[in-house]
Amino acid sequence: MSNGDKNITRTHSGRYPTSRRRVLALAAGTTVGLAGCMGSNEDGGDEGNPTLTRVAGSTLPDEFNWNPLDDSYPSRMADFANDRVMIPYNNGEVATPALESWDWDRENQVLTKTLRDDLVFWNGDQYTAEDLYTWDELNRMMSPDGSNYEAIELVDDLTIEYLYKEPKNPALIATTDLGGISGNLDTLNAATWKPFLEQLQDASTDEERDAVSAEVLDTVIDIDQYMEEGLGTGSFEIVDWSTQSVTFEPVDHHRWSDDVQIERYEELIAQSTAEDELITNQKVDFGTVALEPQYSEVLPDHYRNISQYTSKFMYSLVMNWNHNEALQDRAVRRAMAAVINTQNVVTNFENGFPIEVHTGIDRDWNETYIGDDVGNFIDYAPQSSDYDLADEFLTEGGYTREDGTIYTPDDEEIEPIRMPIGTDYFFNVPGQTVHGQLADYGFPVEFEGQENTQVTERFNEKMNWGLTVYSHYASDYQHPVGYFRYNHSFGLRIVSQALLGGAGPADDAVEGWLDEGRTHSPYNGKPLVWEIPTEIGQRDLSGDTEEINLYETIREIEVTDDVEWTNEQIKKLCWMWNFHMPEIDLLYRESGHWANTQDFDWPIDDERLETDNGPYPLIKNGTVGYN
């Protein structure tokens, strides 16, 4: 790979004279021949060790904005370019490689972060508490009412104190607050943001504050400025970029500089078929997913999974109870669960693991939070389509099924149920599979294939549907309470932030409904207060019962430091999910990482790989080397 190849289309400013469509065509047509090649000198001779490569996505580097608040922020590439503040592992543990220490003072509601004293920018400047403070205080002052912090104080060169408005569960502070927005030291330096912070401090009206906030949001830090000013904090710095890749090489003054083994790393720019071609032609050395069958069938054996694990990411059949009276009936939802064969969903999807017990949380957490009682949960035969069990559930609710048609207790056919599914593979295949299973049994489900953006809009706002497939996700919390969030699309939501304009208005709406004495959400018909049997495994409400106010329970879990109480509530929420089947989980997503193990030495099955972008820290700290 010659230097001439890299600079063939670059102008003096670092921008490209060709159109975006032309550039994407160039990327798709020429990347295979250029990326992933051996390192070379100006004479074209081999330097010996190969360049380590990964696909970064399809956005062109001259469209990046390294302002973390911008939509064009290259978050995945920034993860490699910067030190990690916090790493949440899949087993629930948390590492804090950029912090010397942290402390939560519950009585005073103060979080203290102390940075290491050897953090540096690529330009050699020390990264200090002032850099982090300036960014965090800037964000607080842009939206003081929406911030979790009453105040932020710069204590000394390495220490910052955050005064919270409300108490918070220490387990959630560890997984959600220590790393800030992204988990990285990617906030740029104090010099970038201090002028805006000073303007916010001087602002006397909301209008003045909003005007400064708009300037912050509009600030552009392009890739050339990011390189030239050395604003990254990781052990590899960007040394060049083109339409085809962004090239990193080790810096000289990082605390890991003496340990780093990889001499050159490239994030390749490609999308769809171009990415497929790069991988199948062995031009990509690792990926941060498990190796998909379409690649494993054509790649040599030394391209293999170096880590595989069940993530905190599931797919669910999501229900809008307001769409159809039948969906409001527990007997119908249970029958659907008995019909859905989760093993078949996984087989068709070619990724993930089938649901074993419907608990609403990841299977690796079942033992921790439910324990032996998981064996007493209602069995919906999740890995088969059990028509007899489905008929039994329907009968318990007064329904009947005759000749493939389901009748209500009033002997009327169930009204058709609209099921929009996005054309994207990730939701489309599970959605198509579930639709077929439900229709074959007799549920009048009308499949509607649409573009993903249309389905997302309907999912969040229009609510003119009965069933769809969406993510059920707690990786951002690394705690099972994330699965039951009442106001989040990844949880068991009873209100929509997207519809109302944020978490605050959504919370206000739920509080208003409860004050009005409502029992169910007007948004999607789900209960605001859920009644469950006190005896786990009981299939009806004829015995002793208790109530769970979802809003109050989740809010209390988020602020308590009582671990025993928290675990008890998680168990009750799981039993609530199993008893009512408000939505039906379809599969556990398989996470993992694959790699070229012939040219590069990887820590196979190292638990440190059980994180998002898990290879990144191990490349940057010198664990990964050459074979």
Side-chain angles (χ1 to χ4, degrees):
M1 186 185 300
S2 69
N3 290 332
D5 288 330
K6 289 187 174 182
N7 297 322
I8 191 169
T9 57
R10 181 176 290 188
T11 65
H12 177 71
S13 66
R15 304 292 184 182
Y16 290 89
T18 52
S19 69
R20 172 165 175 77
R21 179 175 297 178
R22 172 62 179 155
V23 168
L24 285 175
L26 287 170
T30 63
T31 305
V32 171
L34 295 175
C37 60
M38 301 288 285
S40 59
N41 56 32
E42 293 184 2
D43 297 326
D46 288 341
E47 294 177 346
N49 287 321
T51 297
L52 179 64
T53 57
R54 175 189 174 181
V55 176
S58 60
T59 303
L60 298 172
D62 66 343
E63 295 178 346
F64 292 162
N65 183 359
W66 295 83
N67 175 350
L69 299 178
D70 191 83
D71 290 340
S72 298
Y73 180 69
S75 57
R76 186 164 67 175
M77 192 176 295
D79 194 3
F80 186 84
N82 291 278
D83 259 349
R84 291 267 187 97
V85 180
M86 181 271 291
I87 304 175
Y89 290 100
N90 198 55
N91 62 8
E93 297 179 359
V94 174
T96 53
L99 298 181
E100 183 64 34
S101 64
W102 69 276
D103 176 71
W104 170 242
D105 180 349
R106 177 170 177 78
E107 182 177 352
N108 294 306
Q109 296 175 196
V110 173
L111 169 65
T112 302
K113 297 181 188 177
T114 301
L115 298 174
R116 298 173 60 101
D117 62 3
D118 55 359
L119 303 174
V120 291
F121 289 97
W122 293 340
N123 60 24
D125 293 344
Q126 182 179 0
Y127 186 101
T128 69
E130 183 182 11
D131 297 302
L132 182 57
Y133 163 82
T134 303
W135 171 253
D136 286 343
E137 179 68 352
L138 177 80
N139 280 267
R140 188 189 73 83
M141 294 202 68
M142 283 196 296
S143 180
D145 292 338
S147 175
N148 291 328
Y149 310 125
E150 184 67 36
I152 304 176
E153 181 179 350
L154 181 62
V155 178
D156 57 39
D157 288 346
L158 299 175
T159 308
I160 307 174
E161 291 182 346
Y162 302 79
L163 174 61
Y164 281 64
K165 296 176 180 176
E166 298 179 352
K168 187 158 186 179
N169 190 322
L172 297 181
I173 285 181
T175 58
T176 63
D177 289 19
L178 292 185
I181 295 175
S182 68
N184 293 309
L185 290 180
D186 57 357
T187 58
L188 309 178
N189 55 12
T192 301
W193 305 116
K194 200 166 187 177
F196 297 110
L197 177 58
E198 291 172 345
Q199 292 179 56
L200 285 169
Q201 291 169 333
D202 292 338
S204 58
T205 65
D206 289 345
E207 290 75 16
E208 290 177 353
R209 187 192 69 229
D210 291 344
V212 178
S213 299
E215 288 187 58
V216 173
L217 296 174
D218 290 340
T219 298
V220 176
I221 308 293
D222 66 21
I223 192 168
D224 287 318
Q225 180 181 350
Y226 195 68
M227 290 170 56
E228 291 163 6
E229 296 186 13
L231 297 178
T233 58
S235 58
F236 284 75
E237 64 181 331
I238 299 174
V239 297
D240 204 354
W241 63 275
S242 72
T243 53
Q244 296 133 21
S245 66
V246 175
T247 302
F248 291 80
E249 291 181 356
V251 297
D252 294 330
H253 46 262
H254 193 275
R255 66 184 184 280
W256 291 330
S257 295
D258 292 340
D259 301 317
V260 167
Q261 299 183 60
I262 300 301
E263 297 167 6
R264 175 173 288 191
Y265 171 75
E266 286 188 342
E267 295 256 321
L268 310 179
I269 310 301
Q271 63 179 341
S272 58
T273 55
E275 180 177 359
D276 292 339
E277 189 176 356
L278 283 168
I279 294 173
T280 55
N281 283 280
Q282 303 174 45
K283 303 298 183 182
V284 180
D285 293 311
F286 74 99
T288 53
V289 294
L291 190 61
E292 298 176 44
Q294 69 193 77
Y295 302 134
S296 61
E297 292 169 359
V298 298
L299 289 171
D301 291 342
H302 62 268
Y303 286 86
R304 52 167 291 198
N305 287 312
I306 56 174
S307 177
Q308 288 176 275
Y309 58 98
T310 306
S311 74
K312 304 299 185 271
F313 194 152
M314 297 188 281
Y315 286 167
S316 289
L317 180 68
V318 181
M319 302 183 185
N320 172 22
W321 293 16
N322 280 342
H323 174 74
N324 190 305
E325 286 188 9
L327 294 178
Q328 298 172 20
D329 199 305
R330 185 169 61 248
V332 172
R333 301 192 301 273
R334 286 179 169 182
M336 287 182 169
V339 168
I340 293 172
N341 181 340
T342 65
Q343 178 60 67
N344 188 242
V345 174
V346 169
T347 299
N348 289 346
F349 188 53
E350 297 183 327
N351 186 283
F353 305 95
I355 301 299
E356 298 167 342
V357 182
H358 286 292
T359 63
I361 65 175
D362 170 56
R363 65 179 185 178
D364 290 342
W365 275 337
N366 283 339
E367 181 177 354
T368 302
Y369 291 93
I370 306 174
D372 293 340
D373 277 331
V374 75
N376 297 322
F377 274 36
I378 298 172
D379 183 6
Y380 295 95
Q383 296 182 32
S384 66
S385 290
D386 192 328
Y387 283 15
D388 290 338
L389 180 59
D391 290 345
E392 184 180 326
F393 284 131
L394 287 180
T395 300
E396 290 176 357
Y399 293 78
T400 57
R401 185 173 68 100
E402 298 177 10
D403 300 324
T405 300
I406 301 174
Y407 296 90
T408 70
D410 296 326
D411 294 325
E412 297 180 357
E413 292 185 23
I414 289 181
E415 293 290 329
I417 302 171
R418 301 175 71 179
M419 184 178 181
I421 298 293
T423 53
D424 182 275
Y425 171 83
F426 290 101
F427 289 153
N428 190 268
V429 173
Q432 292 268 23
T433 302
V434 170
H435 168 261
Q437 292 174 349
L438 295 175
D440 287 347
Y441 174 77
F443 285 106
V445 180
E446 298 179 347
F447 188 91
E448 301 176 358
Q450 288 186 305
E451 292 295 325
N452 298 318
T453 53
Q454 294 175 292
V455 175
T456 298
E457 181 182 3
R458 293 178 66 181
F459 173 74
N460 283 318
E461 301 177 24
K462 292 188 176 180
M463 304 304 291
N464 56 354
W465 54 274
L467 303 173
T468 190
V469 175
Y470 202 70
S471 301
H472 193 196
Y473 183 71
S475 289
D476 49 347
Y477 267 43
Q478 283 295 311
H479 191 282
V481 69
Y483 288 121
F484 301 101
R485 283 170 284 181
Y486 58 87
N487 64 359
H488 199 288
S489 57
F490 291 156
L492 178 55
R493 62 177 183 165
I494 55 178
V495 67
S496 172
Q497 289 191 35
L499 186 62
L500 297 177
D507 287 357
D508 291 343
V510 177
E511 288 181 354
W513 298 337
L514 289 168
D515 290 342
E516 293 167 7
R518 289 181 180 265
T519 59
H520 291 72
S521 164
Y523 171 65
N524 58 16
K526 290 186 173 68
L528 302 176
V529 179
W530 302 68
E531 185 179 10
I532 58 172
T534 55
E535 181 182 347
I536 291 178
Q538 185 173 321
R539 283 173 45 160
D540 59 38
L541 295 170
S542 60
D544 293 336
T545 66
E546 61 181 304
E547 292 183 340
I548 297 177
N549 183 314
L550 186 63
Y551 172 79
E552 292 180 356
T553 299
I554 299 305
R555 296 271 290 185
E556 182 62 26
I557 289 174
E558 290 178 341
V559 303
T560 185
D561 62 353
D562 188 332
V563 175
E564 182 178 353
W565 181 89
T566 296
N567 293 355
E568 289 175 356
Q569 300 310 306
I570 295 297
K571 185 175 182 177
K572 288 180 181 180
L573 289 168
C574 292
W575 168 228
M576 180 191 80
W577 182 283
N578 178 261
F579 180 81
H580 286 286
M581 294 306 299
E583 295 171 356
I584 303 173
D585 285 325
L586 304 177
L587 60 85
Y588 307 107
R589 279 300 304 272
E590 178 184 35
S591 292
H593 312 288
W594 63 267
N596 168 7
T597 61
Q598 175 175 274
D599 297 319
F600 301 94
D601 180 23
W602 303 88
I604 306 296
D605 294 326
D606 190 313
E607 67 175 10
R608 293 176 296 176
L609 290 173
E610 294 188 5
T611 67
D612 291 339
N613 290 337
Y616 277 0
L618 302 180
I619 294 167
K620 295 190 293 183
N621 71 9
T623 301
V624 177
Y626 298 105
N627 276 329

